[in-house]
């Protein structure tokens, strides 16, 4: 199986949950020593917001040991390990298919032993899961290194909503619907058929999207629209 991989040194400024410890000093502009502490209520507010953010993320987040034994799964990851490709057996994340299981084992082993970040993919017969692994250095008296996994299923990754596109870029309802057709992978002709419009009208919509997003190429437009953020704590 061919695997694309990227490695980088791991940041040492993360807690086992993958976030800066809320109890540590938080530097702010104007304090060169970085020894500023926020009011007592602030860390609890941040902690609660981060927990809700992680739980509602569309991508799966998991913290596991080198064997794949789970310490934490967010909601998206829990859905993934109850799906067609991954399974949770005796508290350990496993892949249904042998080749993907071997790759997952390699990712976890290399991540822990080398203390690096790894980007790869798990290839199944019917789907491909994108995966990024980051080694979490030992903290709090624990000697074991754990791994933070990010799991994305491109087939189920949500697109921005029409409302978000209208709010971010000032698209009309028609333009937002047309943009979503583009983001779904349709070319201009297919978008025209789906919208029931002529190809010339589709080109006019595309020009309007370019103008409102300050882009000039369809690839740049699609990349920008896919980055459109949406509220996650609603």
């Amino acid at each position: 199986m061919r695997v694309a991989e990227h490695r980088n040194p791991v940041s040492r400024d993360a807690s086992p949950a993958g976030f800066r410890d809320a109890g540590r000093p938080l530097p702010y502009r104007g304090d060169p020593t970085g020894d500023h502490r926020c009011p007592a209520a602030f860390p609890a507010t941040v902690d609660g917001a981060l927990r809700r953010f992680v739980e509602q993320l569309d991508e799966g987040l998991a913290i596991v040991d080198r064997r794949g034994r789970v310490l934490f799964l967010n909601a998206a990851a829990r859905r993934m390990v109850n799906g067609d490709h991954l399974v949770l057996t005796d508290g350990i994340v496993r892949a249904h298919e042998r080749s993907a299981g071997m790759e997952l084992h390699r990712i976890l082993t290399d991540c822990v032993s080398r203390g690096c970040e790894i980007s790869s993919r798990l290839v199944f017969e019917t789907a491909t899961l994108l995966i990024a692994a980051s080694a979490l250095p030992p903290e709090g008296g624990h000697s074991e290194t754990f791994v933070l996994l990010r799991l994305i299923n491109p087939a189920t990754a949500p697109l921005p909503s029409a409302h978000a596109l209208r709010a971010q870029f000032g698209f009309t309802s028609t333009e937002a619907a047309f943009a979503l057709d583009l983001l779904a992978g349709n070319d201009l002709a297919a978008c025209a058929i789906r919208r029931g419009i002529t190809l010339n009208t589709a080109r006019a919509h595309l020009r309007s999207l370019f103008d409102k997003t300050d882009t000039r190429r369809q690839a740049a437009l699609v990349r920008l629209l896919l980055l459109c953020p949406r509220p996650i704590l609603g």
Side-chain angles (χ1 to χ4, degrees):
M1 178 174 59
R2 297 174 62 188
V3 175
E5 183 173 305
H6 174 68
R7 302 171 187 269
N8 284 317
V10 174
S11 168
R12 294 282 175 174
D13 193 31
S15 70
F19 306 110
R20 174 186 283 272
D21 185 347
R24 293 181 182 174
L26 296 175
Y28 74 107
R29 189 175 299 176
D31 180 4
T33 67
D35 194 24
H36 170 68
R37 291 182 182 273
C38 298
F42 183 72
T45 301
V46 171
D47 183 69
L50 289 176
R51 289 176 185 275
R52 293 177 62 198
F53 177 83
V54 166
E55 189 63 14
Q56 296 184 44
L57 273 178
D58 296 314
E59 67 182 60
L61 288 182
I63 300 177
V64 301
D65 65 13
R66 68 185 304 155
R67 295 177 53 211
R69 187 172 300 280
V70 170
L71 282 73
F72 170 80
L73 297 170
N74 73 343
R78 292 195 296 274
R79 290 191 294 270
M80 288 184 180
V81 300
N82 288 311
D84 297 329
H85 310 298
L86 300 177
V87 63
L88 193 62
T89 305
D90 297 327
I92 296 176
V93 176
R94 305 181 191 276
H96 283 301
E97 297 180 20
R98 184 172 181 272
S99 60
M102 292 175 62
E103 175 61 10
L104 178 59
H105 174 75
R106 185 196 68 80
I107 291 170
L108 296 178
T109 301
D110 287 356
C111 190
V112 171
S113 62
R114 301 181 185 182
C116 63
E117 294 181 344
I118 297 177
S119 296
S120 185
R121 62 186 184 270
L122 304 181
V123 180
F124 301 86
E125 286 188 6
T126 59
T128 296
L129 298 183
L130 306 181
I131 184 170
S134 302
L136 300 176
E139 283 192 7
H142 298 286
S143 59
E144 186 172 3
T145 296
F146 296 102
V147 179
L148 174 65
L149 295 176
R150 297 178 60 189
L151 302 162
I152 297 176
N153 184 345
T156 60
L159 298 176
S161 68
H163 173 75
L165 294 179
R166 293 195 302 269
Q168 287 279 334
F169 302 106
F171 293 168
T172 65
S173 296
T174 299
E175 290 168 345
F178 182 82
L180 288 174
D181 283 344
L182 287 175
L183 293 181
N186 298 291
D187 62 18
L188 207 58
C191 289
I193 293 173
R194 288 177 59 84
R195 294 290 111 201
I197 58 179
T198 67
L199 189 56
N200 283 338
T201 301
R203 292 192 181 104
H205 286 334
L206 183 60
R207 287 194 296 271
S208 180
L209 298 185
F210 285 158
D211 289 341
K212 291 184 177 182
T213 58
D214 196 27
T215 56
R216 294 295 177 266
R217 296 179 181 273
Q218 191 169 321
L221 171 68
V222 169
R223 182 178 184 277
L224 177 63
L225 299 185
L226 286 175
L227 293 174
C228 181
R230 64 179 181 84
I232 199 169
L233 299 181

